[in-house]
Amino acid sequence: MNKTAKTVIITLLACVLVFGGVLVGMNWGRWFGDKPVAQSGDRLDLDPDAGEYVAPDPVEQQDDGNIAIPGWGSITIPANQTEVTVDFPNPEANAGKYYLTFELRLKDTGEVLYKSGLVEPGLHIQHITLSRPLQAGTYTAVIHIQPYKMDEAQTPTNNADMETELIVV
Amino acid sequence: MKKRLIASALVLIIALVTALPTFAAPITAPGSGSATLTYSVGSTYSISIPESISLEKVGNIVSGSGTLCVASGTLIDYGQELTVKVSGANTDPVNGFRLKNGDNNEFLNYDLKYGSAQNEINTAVTANDTEILAVAAGTVNEVNCYLSYTVTSDITVAGTFSDILTFTIGLGNA
């Protein structure tokens, strides 16, 4: 056997080895890997992970959190004016959790005298414009406080109607 | 001469200043003076309400709980009390409190109960505007009202069911 023939044979053997290695590598998982139990044959097998239902431990009831709502015994405003001073606060306790809105209305008629936008925790509304001036007297008013979650959806939550005396002097 | 004039003027001024209190408040008899002190304290209180009706299924029971709290430091006029009433947005005269499925007319009835302790939540609320708490004037400590919600309907439709509670807080005569 001459030198040229030896070189050709060695080259061919090398090619066969490389090609074989690549072929084995590409099919290793299929030929030697773990086969899914349920697909090991032509028919489905029973899954060994299946068992009787075991109820998970009950998760301790989580407190969704409470919303701090301010209260007023009475509110005094001047007669025959629409620009009046009040104090509608969103308590600091709601920080990071809830916006509040305030709606002032007369209890007897339901007439809305004022409605705010969202108030951030720790901030107050102190100057409001009523929808109309009121004559002197004492009225029963309702301040409807609607909290909203401080998330993108601003979901409304449970709310409160604070009944209070509106004293107009 | 000048010194005498100055001295006389000074004596006159001192005499006048000394006499002033006598004109300000004539004393008729020892211990008979009076004064009125006034200090007004407005009613003030703070309350916290449960955010939502949160329910969970444990076994075959779907239920949840919440707490309503009147904070310490409440000041109410003598003879008055602070009351809390509860109403649901979907309450029906026949079925009572109900959870609603989105905008559909699918409802789940639920029992709303309250009590003054977590192991005594046994008073049922069957209609809107039911009083669940009264706090008398002079109460200085925090007062809690515990709520429980238990679904009583069979659940036949999947989805999210919810109700919004409104707590009406007012001051009135005890």
Side-chain angles (χ1 to χ4, degrees), chain A residues 58-61 64-73 98 147 149 156-163, chain B residues 43 45-52 54 56 58 63-65 67 163-171:
Chain A
V59 181
E60 196 161 311
Q61 199 99 51
D64 256 10
N66 271 31
I67 306 162
I69 303 285
W72 300 263
Y98 309 107
K149 286 186 190 175
T157 69
N158 289 337
N159 53 61
D161 281 346
M162 315 299 284
E163 291 183 357
Chain B
S43 298
Y45 57 91
S46 176
I47 197 160
S48 68
I49 61 172
E51 177 196 295
S52 59
S54 176
E56 186 183 354
V58 178
S63 63
S65 61
T67 307
D163 191 18
I164 295 278
L165 295 179
T166 296
F167 297 94
T168 302
I169 297 112
L171 294 172

Side-chain angles (χ1 to χ4, degrees), chain B residues 18-142:
Chain B
T18 314
L20 273 177
T22 312
F23 294 110
I27 297 171
T28 52
S32 66
S34 67
T36 302
L37 296 175
T38 304
Y39 178 54
S40 295
V41 182
S43 298
T44 178
Y45 57 91
S46 176
I47 197 160
S48 68
I49 61 172
E51 177 196 295
S52 59
I53 298 175
S54 176
L55 299 166
E56 186 183 354
K57 186 174 184 182
V58 178
N60 291 323
I61 297 173
V62 179
S63 63
S65 61
T67 307
L68 185 138
C69 173
V70 177
S72 59
T74 295
L75 293 174
I76 307 169
D77 285 358
Y78 178 80
Q80 287 207 314
E81 65 179 5
L82 183 147
T83 59
V84 181
K85 296 175 182 173
V86 67
S87 298
N90 302 304
T91 305
D92 172 89
V94 176
N95 299 300
F97 284 77
R98 300 184 302 171
L99 301 161
K100 191 177 181 188
N101 177 213
D103 293 330
N104 305 318
N105 275 329
E106 290 293 334
F107 295 93
L108 291 178
N109 299 342
Y110 68 97
D111 275 348
L112 172 59
K113 292 183 178 179
Y114 69 96
S116 57
Q118 273 180 321
N119 56 353
E120 292 175 6
I121 309 175
N122 43 28
T123 308
V125 181
T126 55
N128 277 350
D129 247 6
T130 300
E131 184 177 308
I132 58 170
L133 183 65
V135 179
T139 305
V140 292
N141 295 327
E142 178 180 291

Side-chain angles (χ1 to χ4, degrees), chain A residues 4-160:
Chain A
T4 308
K6 277 183 183 175
T7 306
V8 169
I9 288 169
I10 288 169
T11 305
L12 281 173
L13 276 173
C15 285
V16 167
L17 281 173
V18 168
F19 180 76
V22 170
L23 194 68
V24 169
M26 286 174 67
N27 292 286
W28 185 271
R30 188 146 40 121
W31 295 342
F32 308 111
D34 293 335
K35 292 179 180 175
V37 174
Q39 297 174 9
S40 59
D42 289 339
R43 64 190 179 90
L44 291 172
D45 292 336
L46 293 175
D47 195 317
D49 292 333
E52 294 290 321
Y53 177 73
V54 178
D57 292 336
V59 181
E60 196 161 311
Q61 199 99 51
Q62 291 196 342
D63 188 359
D64 256 10
N66 271 31
I67 306 162
I69 303 285
W72 300 263
S74 63
I75 293 175
T76 303
I77 60 172
N80 305 315
Q81 290 186 29
T82 54
E83 306 290 326
V84 299
T85 301
V86 295
D87 185 11
F88 293 158
N90 184 351
E92 284 279 6
N94 293 328
K97 295 186 286 185
Y98 309 107
Y99 297 110
L100 296 185
T101 62
F102 300 86
E103 182 180 283
L104 174 65
R105 58 184 182 229
L106 297 177
K107 186 182 177 186
D108 292 342
T109 61
E111 179 187 356
V112 176
L113 298 170
Y114 168 76
K115 188 171 186 178
S116 80
L118 298 173
V119 179
E120 289 186 65
L123 300 185
H124 298 239
I125 286 185
Q126 292 182 287
H127 303 289
I128 65 172
T129 303
L130 301 178
S131 58
R132 69 174 175 91
L134 293 174
Q135 292 186 332
T138 300
Y139 304 79
T140 303
V142 174
I143 301 167
H144 177 70
I145 300 176
Q146 176 62 65
Y148 292 85
K149 286 186 190 175
M150 294 179 80
D151 55 15
E152 284 215 2
Q154 294 181 344
T155 314
T157 69
N158 289 337
N159 53 61

